[in-house]
Amino acid sequence: MYLSREELRTRVRELGREIERDYDGLGPMLVAPLKASLVFVADLSRAIRIPHELDFLELASYAASADTGGHARVRLLKDLDAEIVGRHVLIVEDVIDTGLTLNYLCKTLGLREPASLAAVTLLDRPYRRLVDDLPVRYVGFTVPDELFVGYGFDLQERHRNLPDLHVLRTES
Amino acid sequence: MTLETPNFQAYRGKEPPRFANRAELECAKVLDYYGVPWDYEPTTFVLESDEEGRIVEAFKPDFYLPEQDLYVEVTVMKQSLVTRKNRKLRKLRERYPDVRVKLFYKRDIERLAERYRLELAS
């Protein structure tokens, strides 16, 4: 086990306190890309004690695109339900490593003229960043170069439901 | 081995890229998928010249990301075997301190492959 449910709960609560302090009176909108951030955003939302909204979007995965045989560009499979013009948007990510996904989201959502755009991530691997100029305002844990399952992270759609975060050991 | 050359949309180079291996191709495809402008081997950095100005040692990073002003070198060698490349990288940073360059090791590529299910076998 890498992080226990207690450690996760404590850190998420701290992030919630920081966010409610920074966004007090702004009515932020939490935007979570499906699916791995689902557990995190559910806990984070409950840790934020100021009024806020939740919305979700889903990106076509690179893998799924490759499976169809075409060389495509990333696109939204599910867009936000709400308008974000003039809103304070906080993207809730499960993990940031290369920054490619978050970069795309920031560019796409930035075109819709939100009042502000920032990101919170549960896990961060800054040493693998390809895109640096990202508005990552809150980081739960900076993690080593490991694969994780549990707390929303999956292995072929399994283990998302595990309450703790585990390191996945693969045979080489 | 002949590698496919897809019709890249975020490629900013003039000539079609000729990748040295599958890992480079797959990295290019991921960058292109996410719409991050990239170029392939656009710059040769001179690391050492002899007394007559002839290039003795040079380094040409694989990718350049103009929006990030970042060079990326992709290596499929194990981290323990990249001493020579690391030495070149160190030299590059000494001679060109303003140049931002990042080395992606075999392990980094494998992580990308796991995340994006890249085809690195061939």
Side-chain angles (χ1 to χ4, degrees), chain B:
Chain B
M1 178 181 64
T2 306
L3 296 172
E4 61 184 302
T5 46
N7 184 22
F8 291 115
Q9 297 170 62
Y11 178 56
R12 293 293 178 266
K14 292 189 179 83
E15 302 297 322
R18 299 182 67 174
F19 301 108
N21 54 54
R22 171 66 70 174
E24 289 181 6
L25 169 64
E26 294 296 335
C27 285
K29 285 163 74 172
V30 171
L31 290 169
D32 216 68
Y33 181 77
Y34 285 98
V36 174
W38 59 278
D39 200 348
Y40 183 71
E41 294 189 337
T43 311
T44 301
F45 293 97
V46 176
L47 300 181
E48 245 185 88
S49 314
D50 65 15
E51 291 169 353
E52 288 161 11
R54 284 179 298 224
I55 297 171
V56 175
E57 189 177 21
F59 186 42
K60 189 189 280 193
D62 297 318
F63 294 96
Y64 177 61
L65 313 184
E67 285 190 356
Q68 319 306 322
D69 192 18
L70 175 71
Y71 289 90
V72 181
E73 173 70 7
V74 173
T75 176
V76 289
M77 290 183 280
K78 285 183 179 174
Q79 198 153 346
S80 56
L81 300 176
V82 293
T83 311
R84 191 163 164 267
K85 195 156 273 192
N86 276 330
R87 191 182 58 77
K88 276 193 166 188
L89 209 64
R90 203 163 46 244
K91 255 183 161 171
L92 176 79
R93 286 178 174 138
E94 284 168 8
R95 289 202 62 161
Y96 305 91
D98 294 334
V99 171
R100 297 174 63 229
V101 59
K102 186 166 259 186
L103 183 59
F104 260 48
Y105 295 98
K106 184 170 186 274
R107 186 179 171 85
D108 296 312
I109 303 301
E110 286 170 351
R111 285 285 184 262
L112 276 181
E114 285 156 353
R115 187 172 171 92
Y116 300 115
R117 284 191 249 157
L118 308 182
E119 296 168 20
L120 300 179
S122 55

Side-chain angles (χ1 to χ4, degrees), chain A residues 26-67:
Chain A
L26 300 177
M29 177 184 284
L30 306 189
V31 168
L34 297 170
K35 302 177 195 169
S37 58
L38 187 63
V39 176
F40 176 43
V41 76
D43 284 349
L44 184 66
S45 175
R46 287 178 288 182
I48 298 173
R49 299 166 302 177
I50 58 171
H52 63 277
E53 293 177 30
L54 276 178
D55 207 340
F56 297 90
L57 48 73
E58 185 173 10
L59 294 175
S61 74
Y62 178 87
S65 161
D67 286 347

Side-chain angles (χ1 to χ4, degrees), chain A residues 32-162:
Chain A
L34 297 170
K35 302 177 195 169
S37 58
L38 187 63
V39 176
F40 176 43
V41 76
D43 284 349
L44 184 66
S45 175
R46 287 178 288 182
I48 298 173
R49 299 166 302 177
I50 58 171
H52 63 277
E53 293 177 30
L54 276 178
D55 207 340
F56 297 90
L57 48 73
E58 185 173 10
L59 294 175
S61 74
Y62 178 87
S65 161
D67 286 347
T68 61
H71 179 60
R73 289 287 287 273
V74 63
R75 62 192 169 89
L76 292 172
L77 290 178
K78 180 207 171 299
D79 205 340
L80 298 175
D81 294 325
E83 298 290 333
I84 60 167
V85 60
R87 300 293 308 271
H88 294 275
V89 174
L90 186 61
I91 300 170
V92 182
E93 280 278 24
D94 54 329
V95 60
I96 301 174
D97 47 24
T98 60
L100 292 171
T101 307
L102 182 58
N103 181 56
Y104 172 78
L105 285 178
C106 288
K107 281 187 171 178
T108 302
L109 299 182
L111 293 172
R112 303 180 188 184
E113 300 179 347
S116 69
L117 190 59
V120 51
T121 183
L122 178 67
L123 308 182
D124 192 18
R125 296 190 186 102
Y127 44 85
R128 198 175 294 130
R129 202 79 91 232
L130 287 175
V131 182
D132 281 325
D133 52 343
L134 297 170
V136 183
R137 197 164 174 184
Y138 311 95
V139 173
F141 302 91
T142 299
V143 293
D145 193 14
E146 302 283 1
L147 289 174
F148 297 100
V149 292
Y151 201 71
F153 293 85
D154 75 306
L155 173 66
Q156 295 169 352
E157 296 298 329
R158 295 169 62 201
H159 311 308
R160 290 191 198 275
N161 58 316
L162 297 175

